[in-house]
Amino acid sequence: MNRTSFENWPCSIARSMDLLGDCWTPLVLREAFYGVSRFDDFRQGLGIARNTLTDRLRRLVDEGVLDRRLYQGEPRRYDYVLTEKGRELFAVLAAMSRWGDRWLAGEEGVPVVFHHDTCGHDTAAEVVCAVCRRPLEAQDTSMRMGPGYPERLMRRPDVRRRFGAA
């Protein structure tokens, strides 16, 4: 079955989901943030099939989220290391974890605690406005067409309604 590609949609959420939207990719990234960098360690930690892991690692390397670095010549073996682009996904995974902790954790409590080594406290992700630093919440936020929104779509009545542009 062919999957629908969202890579050209005029929406950063859709484009992000095109890369991250299967169930294995965020878990591969989680392992990378845990310090895992070798194929066999990813496989063991996740219980993932070789072909599936190969596909996910290849895509993350192709997209510049991971770098592949040779650590052994014969046979050729590689470490998979987060790039700057990959490291910036930490906030996404932390926000997903916070939501899961609130809505999906059992009575026994959250399964993983984020500890902020800089201040020494256990913490959780919080999405805040980059300007005023207040919590960024749906009821206080509206979406507008940005400079990259396709001109041909801006004229459509349904799109104009979506963005409140009468």
Side-chain angles (χ1 to χ4, degrees):
M1 175 162 82
N2 292 335
R3 73 173 183 84
T4 300
S5 174
F6 299 115
E7 68 181 316
N8 294 317
W9 279 36
C11 173
S12 293
I13 294 171
R15 291 174 183 171
S16 297
M17 291 309 297
D18 193 66
L19 174 61
L20 303 174
D22 72 273
C23 62
W24 287 114
T25 300
L27 296 176
V28 169
L29 291 169
R30 179 199 68 191
E31 294 297 301
F33 282 109
Y34 283 163
V36 173
S37 64
R38 299 203 170 157
F39 186 92
D40 288 336
D41 295 335
F42 280 110
R43 233 182 108 223
Q44 180 181 351
L46 293 170
I48 185 174
R50 292 184 76 77
N51 62 325
T52 303
L53 179 57
T54 297
D55 290 345
R56 296 320 180 273
L57 289 172
R58 183 180 299 121
R59 177 89 192 275
L60 291 168
V61 168
D62 290 348
E63 292 290 336
V65 172
L66 294 175
D67 269 339
R68 198 168 87 133
R69 298 184 184 156
L70 186 68
Y71 73 84
Q72 179 179 309
E74 277 301 318
R76 294 178 74 80
R77 298 200 188 269
Y78 297 88
D79 278 324
Y80 294 88
V81 181
L82 290 159
T83 63
E84 179 183 4
K85 183 177 181 179
R87 288 187 301 274
E88 285 198 16
L89 283 166
F90 179 78
V92 174
L93 296 180
M96 289 172 63
S97 182
R98 179 166 185 162
W99 183 87
D101 288 349
R102 175 161 185 201
W103 297 104
L104 305 174
E107 290 180 18
E108 60 279 357
V110 302
V112 175
V113 174
F114 285 66
H115 183 80
H116 191 220
D117 296 334
T118 302
C119 73
H121 291 91
D122 291 345
T123 190
E126 186 172 310
V127 179
V128 298
C129 172
V131 178
C132 72
R133 311 307 293 168
R134 289 192 149 147
L136 192 60
E137 297 176 349
Q139 68 269 15
D140 302 322
T141 307
S142 59
M143 281 36 142
R144 298 181 180 170
M145 289 180 268
Y149 204 86
E151 184 74 35
R152 64 182 169 71
L153 296 177
M154 286 182 180
R155 293 184 291 271
R156 285 182 24 189
D158 61 317
V159 170
R160 296 185 63 72
R161 275 191 307 277
R162 177 186 301 149
F163 291 105

mmCIF file of all heavy atoms in Angstrom, residues 2 14 16 18 29 39 44 50 60 69 80 82 94 113 142 154 157:
data_model
loop_
_atom_site.group_PDB
_atom_site.id
_atom_site.type_symbol
_atom_site.label_atom_id
_atom_site.label_comp_id
_atom_site.label_asym_id
_atom_site.label_seq_id
_atom_site.Cartn_x
_atom_site.Cartn_y
_atom_site.Cartn_z
ATOM 1 N N ASN A 2 0.634 2.163 -0.912
ATOM 2 C CA ASN A 2 1.382 3.421 -0.982
ATOM 3 C C ASN A 2 0.885 4.383 0.077
ATOM 4 O O ASN A 2 -0.312 4.479 0.312
ATOM 5 C CB ASN A 2 1.217 4.058 -2.362
ATOM 6 C CG ASN A 2 1.890 3.250 -3.444
ATOM 7 O OD1 ASN A 2 2.819 2.512 -3.166
ATOM 8 N ND2 ASN A 2 1.420 3.382 -4.658
ATOM 9 N N ALA A 14 2.025 19.001 8.630
ATOM 10 C CA ALA A 14 1.940 17.934 7.634
ATOM 11 C C ALA A 14 3.325 17.497 7.180
ATOM 12 O O ALA A 14 3.611 16.299 7.080
ATOM 13 C CB ALA A 14 1.102 18.392 6.437
ATOM 14 N N SER A 16 6.145 17.773 8.820
ATOM 15 C CA SER A 16 6.801 17.075 9.933
ATOM 16 C C SER A 16 6.271 15.654 10.062
ATOM 17 O O SER A 16 7.035 14.706 10.286
ATOM 18 C CB SER A 16 6.582 17.832 11.245
ATOM 19 O OG SER A 16 7.174 19.107 11.184
ATOM 20 N N ASP A 18 5.116 13.877 7.713
ATOM 21 C CA ASP A 18 5.630 13.093 6.597
ATOM 22 C C ASP A 18 6.919 12.389 7.006
ATOM 23 O O ASP A 18 7.160 11.249 6.615
ATOM 24 C CB ASP A 18 5.866 13.992 5.382
ATOM 25 C CG ASP A 18 6.099 13.192 4.125
ATOM 26 O OD1 ASP A 18 5.159 12.508 3.683
ATOM 27 O OD2 ASP A 18 7.232 13.231 3.599
ATOM 28 N N LEU A 29 14.268 7.961 17.312
ATOM 29 C CA LEU A 29 14.815 9.230 17.811
ATOM 30 C C LEU A 29 14.933 9.229 19.332
ATOM 31 O O LEU A 29 15.928 9.718 19.888
ATOM 32 C CB LEU A 29 13.943 10.394 17.341
ATOM 33 C CG LEU A 29 14.017 10.668 15.848
ATOM 34 C CD1 LEU A 29 12.931 11.639 15.431
ATOM 35 C CD2 LEU A 29 15.401 11.179 15.462
ATOM 36 N N PHE A 39 23.430 0.379 15.177
ATOM 37 C CA PHE A 39 22.301 -0.355 14.596
ATOM 38 C C PHE A 39 21.813 -1.464 15.524
ATOM 39 O O PHE A 39 20.617 -1.551 15.826
ATOM 40 C CB PHE A 39 22.711 -0.927 13.234
ATOM 41 C CG PHE A 39 21.592 -1.577 12.495
ATOM 42 C CD1 PHE A 39 20.825 -0.850 11.601
ATOM 43 C CD2 PHE A 39 21.294 -2.921 12.687
ATOM 44 C CE1 PHE A 39 19.777 -1.440 10.909
ATOM 45 C CE2 PHE A 39 20.248 -3.523 12.008
ATOM 46 C CZ PHE A 39 19.493 -2.777 11.115
ATOM 47 N N GLN A 44 18.033 -3.960 19.366
ATOM 48 C CA GLN A 44 17.800 -4.640 20.644
ATOM 49 C C GLN A 44 16.869 -3.827 21.534
ATOM 50 O O GLN A 44 15.938 -4.371 22.133
ATOM 51 C CB GLN A 44 19.125 -4.895 21.357
ATOM 52 C CG GLN A 44 18.949 -5.595 22.686
ATOM 53 C CD GLN A 44 20.266 -5.820 23.388
ATOM 54 O OE1 GLN A 44 21.339 -5.600 22.823
ATOM 55 N NE2 GLN A 44 20.200 -6.261 24.626
ATOM 56 N N ARG A 50 14.931 -5.719 11.281
ATOM 57 C CA ARG A 50 16.110 -5.140 10.612
ATOM 58 C C ARG A 50 15.719 -4.245 9.445
ATOM 59 O O ARG A 50 16.230 -3.141 9.300
ATOM 60 C CB ARG A 50 17.037 -6.235 10.097
ATOM 61 C CG ARG A 50 17.729 -7.043 11.145
ATOM 62 C CD ARG A 50 18.708 -8.046 10.524
ATOM 63 N NE ARG A 50 19.924 -7.401 10.080
ATOM 64 C CZ ARG A 50 20.920 -7.018 10.879
ATOM 65 N NH1 ARG A 50 20.827 -7.215 12.177
ATOM 66 N NH2 ARG A 50 21.984 -6.442 10.392
ATOM 67 N N LEU A 60 16.087 9.058 8.060
ATOM 68 C CA LEU A 60 16.559 10.089 8.979
ATOM 69 C C LEU A 60 17.916 10.657 8.551
ATOM 70 O O LEU A 60 18.168 11.856 8.702
ATOM 71 C CB LEU A 60 16.610 9.547 10.413
ATOM 72 C CG LEU A 60 15.239 9.276 11.027
ATOM 73 C CD1 LEU A 60 15.374 8.475 12.323
ATOM 74 C CD2 LEU A 60 14.477 10.571 11.275
ATOM 75 N N ARG A 69 28.246 7.876 10.733
ATOM 76 C CA ARG A 69 29.701 8.001 10.893
ATOM 77 C C ARG A 69 30.334 6.622 11.007
ATOM 78 O O ARG A 69 29.978 5.841 11.887
ATOM 79 C CB ARG A 69 30.030 8.821 12.126
ATOM 80 C CG ARG A 69 29.502 10.234 12.023
ATOM 81 C CD ARG A 69 29.913 11.071 13.187
ATOM 82 N NE ARG A 69 29.302 12.388 13.093
ATOM 83 C CZ ARG A 69 29.081 13.173 14.112
ATOM 84 N NH1 ARG A 69 29.418 12.792 15.332
ATOM 85 N NH2 ARG A 69 28.524 14.349 13.954
ATOM 86 N N TYR A 80 25.029 6.230 14.287
ATOM 87 C CA TYR A 80 24.002 7.164 13.839
ATOM 88 C C TYR A 80 23.889 8.223 14.922
ATOM 89 O O TYR A 80 23.480 7.936 16.039
ATOM 90 C CB TYR A 80 22.676 6.441 13.606
ATOM 91 C CG TYR A 80 22.778 5.468 12.469
ATOM 92 C CD1 TYR A 80 23.190 4.151 12.675
ATOM 93 C CD2 TYR A 80 22.501 5.885 11.170
ATOM 94 C CE1 TYR A 80 23.311 3.269 11.616
ATOM 95 C CE2 TYR A 80 22.613 4.992 10.104
ATOM 96 C CZ TYR A 80 23.022 3.694 10.329
ATOM 97 O OH TYR A 80 23.149 2.824 9.280
ATOM 98 N N LEU A 82 22.795 12.216 16.165
ATOM 99 C CA LEU A 82 21.887 13.339 15.933
ATOM 100 C C LEU A 82 22.634 14.553 15.396
ATOM 101 O O LEU A 82 23.701 14.911 15.897
ATOM 102 C CB LEU A 82 21.175 13.731 17.230
ATOM 103 C CG LEU A 82 20.150 12.723 17.744
ATOM 104 C CD1 LEU A 82 19.895 12.934 19.230
ATOM 105 C CD2 LEU A 82 18.860 12.819 16.951
ATOM 106 N N ALA A 94 9.687 15.697 23.874
ATOM 107 C CA ALA A 94 9.383 16.060 25.263
ATOM 108 C C ALA A 94 7.922 16.483 25.396
ATOM 109 O O ALA A 94 7.252 16.132 26.378
ATOM 110 C CB ALA A 94 10.321 17.172 25.733
ATOM 111 N N VAL A 113 10.857 10.144 33.782
ATOM 112 C CA VAL A 113 10.887 11.499 34.307
ATOM 113 C C VAL A 113 12.021 12.252 33.620
ATOM 114 O O VAL A 113 13.135 11.737 33.504
ATOM 115 C CB VAL A 113 11.108 11.494 35.841
ATOM 116 C CG1 VAL A 113 11.282 12.899 36.381
ATOM 117 C CG2 VAL A 113 9.957 10.774 36.538
ATOM 118 N N SER A 142 -4.083 32.129 17.122
ATOM 119 C CA SER A 142 -4.724 31.986 15.815
ATOM 120 C C SER A 142 -3.635 31.736 14.774
ATOM 121 O O SER A 142 -2.485 32.122 14.954
ATOM 122 C CB SER A 142 -5.540 33.233 15.458
ATOM 123 O OG SER A 142 -4.721 34.374 15.434
ATOM 124 N N MET A 154 -4.157 30.758 -1.612
ATOM 125 C CA MET A 154 -4.635 31.907 -0.828
ATOM 126 C C MET A 154 -5.976 32.444 -1.326
ATOM 127 O O MET A 154 -6.713 33.050 -0.566
ATOM 128 C CB MET A 154 -3.612 33.049 -0.878
ATOM 129 C CG MET A 154 -2.397 32.814 -0.056
ATOM 130 S SD MET A 154 -1.332 34.281 -0.196
ATOM 131 C CE MET A 154 0.014 33.795 0.840
ATOM 132 N N PRO A 157 -11.806 30.165 -1.291
ATOM 133 C CA PRO A 157 -12.692 30.585 -0.183
ATOM 134 C C PRO A 157 -12.541 29.731 1.070
ATOM 135 O O PRO A 157 -12.560 30.269 2.187
ATOM 136 C CB PRO A 157 -14.091 30.445 -0.779
ATOM 137 C CG PRO A 157 -13.900 30.509 -2.250
ATOM 138 C CD PRO A 157 -12.537 29.929 -2.528
#
